[in-house]
Amino acid sequence: MLRSFDDMAAGLTQAPIDFQPARFGLVTSCDGPLIEVSGLSIPIGSLCRIAQGRATSHLAEVIGFRNGRTLMSLLGDAVLLRPGARVRPSGLAGTVPVGEGFLGRAVDGLGKPIDGGCPVRATSRGLAGGERVGALERGRVRERFATGIRAIDSLTTLGVGQRVGIVAGSGVGKSVMIDMIAHGAEADIVVVGLIGERAREVSDFVGRHMHSDAAARTAVVAVPADHAPNLRLRGAMLATSLAEYFRAQGHKVLLILDSLTRVAHAAREIALMLGEHGGARGYPPSALATITRLVERAGNSVTHGGSVTGLYTVLADGDDHNDPVVDTARAILDGHIVLSRQIAQRGRYPAIDVPASLSRVMADIASPDHLAAAREMRSLISAYESNRDLLMMGAYRPGTDAVLDRAIAAHDSIEAFLGQDIGKHVSADDAIGALNAVIARG
């Protein structure tokens, strides 16, 4: 009972007083999560409550118009929904709550707490879709961003304000890697969006991160896979809007979004619901455009001096790295870290495929000596991996290829260097020092 009064009070403090006559529409049809409403003309992105008796109500979001009717997508199940139910606007269209109150909290796609705490007191509201800015507003990447993972900081060095993807199939270690980075990254604020993931994984992440010393600088937005597609999209937008809010305060923000593929899946469901034709492998153009709009909101801000370093996991369905979502993400991001199932099956963690991974800003932030050592290490790893089958059969004759001979001699040292225990963090300087030591011994 008290929790209900808290929710009501939170809504009253966040919503402006409206002296206009109350407006409402009527439900005329329902096709799965898509409903049509007559008599209510409100903007796309608006939230509405559908009265269902005296005690309960449904929540829906406006997603389009057709033949004089307003199209809405339910944010929950359609159970007990009846024709003729009254639909009333609820809240401000196109905005999400943001503010300092989200730090140390775990919320859903609407900003409501899922951690058992009191309602979050949002101090302001941000645009759900972000504010489009000029290209020159995004400053250049000039400062190194340390992740705490030796193979990344030495061979695919990231920068503050960079947008990078972690590309892998299911069960290869994406979630474990972002868990380590969230703990070990050098950032003022960490915003984590768990979109379309398993509820158990959300519970584990919140339990580890929101009861530690880092909780005071961490905000978690979680929308599991069984929730409505527009709620999953709102979760991704809320996480990005929170990152933008803290960037505007001049903070160095790390935005982790797991996963970009689930966001694309949600956008695909909504687009197909509205009748848009599927394109590449069933993805309508608007679904892939959602990825671009979301990713472009990260980066450095010239005006405010803050930054949003974006880390996005990308699920390669069926281990196909030419999947439309993977290909779109790879084209728009500033780099990608590829995790290999074959390397994971050999027992090496993190299972980073170094030759296939790339940081497009490394040349701008790494020293010449560091770049030379990284190029040499990549050459040795590539030479060994491309001839692995030949070596396993014993068909290679030593002395035939000087680079391969060096790679064979240094293989054990390289494997030890690339591997790292889960939960162990290595400073960027130590990672570069270890790289130089391996190259010197090889």
Side-chain angles (χ1 to χ4, degrees):
M1 178 66 71
L2 292 177
R3 182 71 54 79
S4 298
F5 282 117
D6 283 341
D7 291 342
M8 186 183 301
L12 290 174
T13 57
Q14 295 174 17
I17 299 176
D18 187 3
F19 295 101
Q20 298 295 324
R23 296 175 296 164
F24 67 88
L26 301 176
V27 174
T28 58
S29 71
C30 175
D31 184 8
L34 180 67
I35 63 174
E36 293 189 12
V37 176
S38 64
L40 187 62
S41 178
I42 52 177
I44 290 178
S46 301
L47 291 179
C48 296
R49 288 202 173 274
I50 305 173
Q52 185 61 51
R54 294 184 178 181
T56 61
S57 64
H58 294 280
L59 197 61
E61 179 183 5
V62 178
I63 59 175
F65 309 100
R66 180 185 299 153
N67 300 327
R69 304 284 178 86
T70 301
L71 304 180
M72 299 185 184
S73 177
L74 288 171
L75 295 178
D77 297 324
V79 178
L80 299 180
L81 182 67
R82 55 174 170 42
R86 290 195 174 189
V87 184
R88 300 181 185 275
S90 174
L92 299 176
T95 65
V96 292
V98 294
E100 305 284 341
F102 285 91
L103 294 178
R105 304 300 305 274
V107 300
D108 63 10
L110 297 174
K112 295 182 178 180
I114 59 173
D115 53 10
C118 61
V120 176
R121 303 291 189 241
T123 56
S124 59
R125 301 192 69 86
L127 295 176
E131 182 179 355
R132 186 172 283 109
V133 297
L136 297 183
E137 166 62 14
R138 293 287 175 257
R140 294 186 61 187
V141 177
R142 298 181 178 275
E143 181 183 351
R144 184 177 66 191
F145 182 85
T147 64
I149 298 179
R150 182 168 49 230
I152 295 177
D153 291 340
S154 60
L155 297 175
T156 55
T157 308
L158 308 183
V160 174
Q162 183 177 358
R163 295 84 51 87
V164 63
I166 298 178
V167 183
S170 58
V172 183
K174 298 185 304 299
S175 298
V176 177
M177 177 174 286
I178 67 168
D179 192 62
M180 287 184 63
I181 294 176
H183 265 301
E186 297 177 357
D188 301 329
I189 303 293
V190 179
V191 179
V192 183
L194 302 176
I195 311 301
E197 298 301 317
R198 300 179 296 276
R200 179 201 58 79
E201 187 174 346
V202 172
S203 178
D204 289 347
F205 189 94
V206 171
R208 287 192 304 270
H209 288 265
M210 306 313 282
H211 300 287
S212 65
D213 296 338
R217 66 182 181 101
T218 305
V220 176
V221 180
V223 186
D226 60 339
H227 285 57
N230 48 339
L231 191 57
R232 280 177 267 151
L233 270 181
R234 289 185 73 91
M237 292 178 181
L238 174 57
T240 306
S241 295
L242 283 172
E244 290 176 323
Y245 170 81
F246 291 113
R247 176 178 61 190
Q249 313 302 313
H251 292 299
K252 183 192 296 185
V253 183
L254 170 63
L255 170 63
I256 298 176
L257 194 61
D258 183 19
S259 73
L260 203 61
T261 304
R262 304 301 187 195
V263 174
H265 288 176
R268 176 175 62 182
E269 289 182 48
I270 294 175
L272 294 177
M273 193 188 306
L274 290 172
E276 188 175 347
H277 295 292
R281 299 195 186 179
Y283 286 98
S286 64
L288 298 179
T290 300
I291 297 177
T292 303
R293 290 196 300 269
L294 204 60
V295 168
E296 279 298 314
R297 294 169 64 179
N300 294 324
S301 173
V302 173
T303 302
H304 303 290
S307 65
V308 173
T309 303
L311 187 65
Y312 305 89
T313 65
V314 185
L315 177 64
D317 289 330
D319 288 344
D320 181 7
H321 289 248
N322 292 318
D323 178 86
V325 176
V326 177
D327 200 41
T328 300
R330 194 164 43 210
I332 194 65
L333 292 169
D334 301 320
H336 49 272
I337 299 168
V338 178
L339 304 185
S340 167
R341 190 176 300 277
Q342 288 73 26
I343 294 176
Q345 290 171 346
R346 293 201 295 265
R348 192 187 84 202
Y349 178 83
I352 298 176
D353 186 346
V354 174
S357 302
L358 172 70
S359 173
R360 290 177 173 151
V361 304
M362 184 174 177
D364 298 328
I365 56 180
S367 67
D369 292 340
H370 178 195
L371 288 172
R375 280 195 296 267
E376 189 166 356
M377 174 68 83
R378 283 175 169 272
S379 174
L380 295 177
I381 296 172
S382 179
Y384 190 92
E385 292 298 329
S386 60
N387 292 278
R388 173 177 284 274
D389 292 341
L390 196 65
L391 295 173
M392 293 299 103
M393 292 186 298
Y396 174 72
R397 286 174 39 186
T400 304
D401 187 330
V403 176
L404 184 54
D405 289 338
R406 288 191 61 206
I408 295 171
H411 177 67
D412 291 341
S413 298
I414 292 174
E415 286 293 305
F417 168 80
L418 295 177
Q420 185 171 327
D421 292 337
I422 296 175
K424 180 182 178 181
H425 297 96
V426 179
S427 70
D429 291 336
D430 289 344
I432 296 172
L435 169 65
N436 292 327
V438 172
I439 295 299
R441 287 198 301 269

